[in-house]
Amino acid sequence: MPATVIVGLQWGDEGKGKTTDALAEHVKAVVRYQGGDNAGHTIMLGEEVFKLHLVPSGVLYPHIAPIIGNGVVVNPATLISELDMLASRGIEVDRVRVSKHAHVIMPYHIALDGAMEARLAKAAVGTTRRGIGPAYADRAWRIGIRMEDLLDGPALRSKLQRILPEKNATLQRQHNVGGFDLDELVQLATAWGVRLKPHLADTTQLVQEMLARGEHLLFEGAQGTLLDLDHGSYPFVTSSNPIAGGACTGGGIGPLQVDEVLGVMKAYATRVGAGPFPTELEDEIGEGIIDRGREFGTTTGRRRRVGWFDAVPLRYAVAVNSVSSIMLNKIDILSGLDEVLICMAYEVDGERVDWWPSDADILARAKPIYEHFPGWTEPIHDCRSMADLPENARLYVDAVERLSGAPICFVSVGPERHQTIERKPRPFRRPLSAANHVAAVVAPAADPAGK
Ligand code: GDP
Ligand code: IMO
Ligand code: MG
């Protein structure tokens, strides 16, 4: 399998960092393809905890090339401090490569993100305020600064001379906050360039050469399918495409070069920031899951919202990502509950809805239709095979697999690499039956009489 895409199937924080790290041992490179330092991927190695925002999760293996692809928006200050943090902990970081074409998150993007959130007030998205949306907006508007621009001071100065007056006017006049000084920005940005120059590369070429040699690469998604700019509940989304297709545009590969799509999800749902969340739990069961699961944002420290597992967006996520296999994380956090619930469908305005509406207004009115499953009390951190799990935990995994339409190949029972159960072998390509499964659930055969 030369190219595997690892993609979040929920609202982010599914455990993509652990999954990438757990599967990375035998690959040659791990490539981030979208998002920026809004991501927070946690990897636990014994007593050591690594929280990565930009550097791909494969970095902890010395033989892996960690690559930040063209689709990522890079805050150079974050990248530099992350490289320093890793180096200070004995991780060799000279091999980290960053696409020359990745866009730079400039200080005015961060200021604009915060100012817009404040302006939106009650309608705020609850962004990470890392400048992600404004940086992607400038990329689309063709006024972005790319990593390679940091290497040419005079050219950078003339670009900023054209861009900065408008940014400052917006900040000062529309939002009543301070602007930025041209000289200071040029100085800051060229200093970033000097520091990061050895890491800059044509990452598409690197990726294509590795694939041509038959080497196995992982493409590590950030955020998740339900935060996708196109497929999430707009406007409560991020500004990139976390879905597997994003690995093509942001990682430098073609659709037929993707051999495997590994979907990552956790055994319940969480969401940070605003937006509809039909299965949200605002009771002591939810509090318990937050406490046991330590559901606090890796990037902002915000308390995550938590809810029951929702099969409606899962079917959608399996379809739009063409998921070939799934890793189900954090099932250990459900130990100790009398029963666990799964949302099978929604009721919206009196009608049953099986297909994720991906429309914030409809989702806000969606009432979950639950099926109840018996819980289990035993702690399961030390289970290493499905046979070790309590029967009710096995039944829960079976139910989630049936509902998803893709095989659950890995079950994770703790944050560490080795706390992973290999449930079944990963199929090479997504079985056709998965597509049929979704079709059967959501699209009953058309009435031949056309009634
Ligand atoms: P990501 O953004 O998808 O990489 O996920 P985060 O790192 O933000 O959040 C997932 C959290 O769950 C991290 O603290 C992981 O160490 C932890 N984690 C991952 N898998 C498991 C698991 O199976 N059980 C437990 N208890 N924790 C896990
Ligand atoms: P990882 O990679 C969870 C959420 C924010 C907000 C919305 C838009 O760790 O799974 P943005 O700053 O991207 O403009 O915010 O997206 N968000 C995440 N939620 N995990 C993440 O990343 C997220 N990155 C962004 O909370 O609701
Ligand atoms: Mg995270």
Side-chain angles (χ1 to χ4, degrees):
M1 286 180 211
T4 298
V5 181
I6 292 183
V7 61
L9 299 182
Q10 295 160 313
W11 282 281
D13 303 326
E14 300 90 346
K16 298 176 292 294
K18 155 155 183 174
T19 299
T20 305
D21 174 76
L23 301 187
E25 191 176 349
H26 301 295
V27 308
K28 275 284 179 348
V30 178
V31 186
R32 271 282 305 270
Y33 58 85
Q34 46 68 235
D37 60 343
N38 50 349
H41 297 176
T42 316
I43 302 167
M44 282 186 66
L45 288 184
E47 294 299 295
E48 289 229 69
V49 181
F50 292 88
K51 292 179 188 285
L52 300 171
H53 302 285
L54 274 170
V55 176
S57 299
V59 71
L60 303 183
Y61 293 96
H63 68 274
I64 282 181
I67 296 175
I68 296 176
N70 58 280
V72 175
V73 284
V74 179
N75 179 336
T78 309
L79 179 58
I80 291 166
S81 66
E82 205 161 292
L83 293 172
D84 288 347
M85 177 275 290
L86 287 165
S88 74
R89 295 170 73 177
I91 313 285
E92 193 274 304
V93 290
D94 291 350
R95 65 208 148 97
V96 173
R97 289 291 169 269
V98 185
S99 169
K100 293 188 291 187
H101 296 160
H103 277 247
V104 178
I105 299 179
M106 296 294 286
Y108 48 79
H109 292 134
I110 298 169
L112 285 164
D113 194 0
M116 186 53 96
E117 282 286 277
R119 163 73 53 87
L120 287 172
K122 281 195 180 136
V125 174
T127 73
T128 58
R129 298 188 177 222
R130 295 295 189 270
I132 306 294
Y136 276 118
D138 278 1
R139 181 178 83 153
W141 209 1
R142 298 166 304 245
I143 54 165
I145 304 293
R146 305 207 290 186
M147 290 303 288
E148 63 188 356
D149 294 329
L150 305 181
L151 305 181
D152 183 344
L156 178 66
R157 171 177 287 275
S158 7
K159 278 193 184 172
L160 285 173
Q161 255 162 351
R162 289 192 292 273
I163 300 165
L164 197 58
E166 165 146 357
K167 300 294 177 199
N168 280 344
T170 307
L171 284 167
Q172 289 161 341
R173 292 197 210 134
Q174 305 290 326
H175 298 290
N176 216 10
V177 296
F180 293 87
D181 177 72
L182 176 68
D183 291 332
E184 283 176 24
L185 271 192
V186 173
Q187 203 181 5
L188 177 71
T190 47
W192 287 335
V194 170
R195 170 68 202 272
L196 293 173
K197 188 176 178 190
H199 297 281
L200 298 194
D202 180 337
T203 54
T204 300
Q205 186 182 3
L206 284 182
V207 161
Q208 288 296 338
E209 284 173 359
M210 283 188 201
L211 289 174
R213 287 197 291 269
E215 287 167 353
H216 189 179
L217 274 56
L218 291 185
F219 291 79
E220 178 188 17
Q223 291 81 52
T225 305
L226 308 182
L227 288 172
D228 186 278
L229 181 58
D230 291 84
H231 294 283
S233 49
Y234 191 89
F236 301 103
V237 293
T238 192
S239 302
S240 67
N241 290 112
I243 58 162
C248 294
T249 49
I253 51 172
L256 297 184
Q257 286 180 304
V258 177
D259 297 283
E260 180 187 31
V261 179
L262 181 76
V264 185
M265 63 192 188
K266 48 189 171 191
Y268 48 94
T270 63
R271 169 158 214 180
V272 208
F277 187 0
T279 64
E280 185 162 13
L281 280 165
E282 290 173 293
D283 57 9
E284 66 283 3
I285 295 179
E287 297 286 319
I289 294 176
I290 291 172
D291 291 344
R292 287 194 302 281
R294 297 194 194 141
E295 294 296 352
F296 294 89
T298 313
T299 299
T300 58
R302 287 178 292 177
R303 192 180 171 81
R304 294 174 182 152
R305 299 157 68 194
V306 65
W308 292 120
F309 191 86
D310 192 344
V312 182
L314 173 63
R315 276 177 214 125
Y316 186 87
V318 166
V320 297
N321 290 297
S322 64
V323 166
S324 54
S325 58
I326 290 177
M327 176 147 171
L328 179 65
N329 289 331
K330 290 194 127 171
I331 186 164
D332 53 302
I333 303 303
L334 296 182
S335 289
L337 294 173
D338 294 336
E339 56 174 10
V340 280
L341 275 59
I342 296 182
C343 171
M344 300 291 179
Y346 302 142
E347 191 199 303
V348 183
D349 305 333
E351 304 262 330
R352 184 184 165 103
V353 172
D354 292 284
W355 183 247
W356 167 252
S358 135
D359 176 316
D361 293 335
I362 299 177
L363 283 166
R365 302 200 302 280
K367 296 193 189 77
I369 301 171
Y370 286 119
E371 199 162 296
H372 296 239
F373 293 80
W376 58 93
T377 49
E378 306 86 325
I380 57 174
H381 293 112
D382 295 326
C383 297
R384 292 295 173 269
S385 74
M386 288 308 284
D388 295 341
L389 284 182
E391 190 189 0
N392 287 345
R394 277 202 304 273
L395 290 175
Y396 184 72
V397 176
D398 291 346
V400 173
E401 180 176 70
R402 237 183 359 262
L403 290 164
S404 71
I408 296 180
C409 296
F410 302 96
V411 176
S412 170
V413 292
E416 302 240 13
R417 251 178 217 172
H418 62 271
Q419 291 177 306
T420 305
I421 297 174
E422 290 193 33
R423 182 168 175 262
K424 42 170 88 161
R426 289 140 78 185
F428 180 59
R429 287 242 174 203
R430 178 171 181 256
L432 201 57
S433 59
N436 292 341
H437 171 90
V438 172
V441 171
V442 301
D447 179 356
K451 285 179 205 147

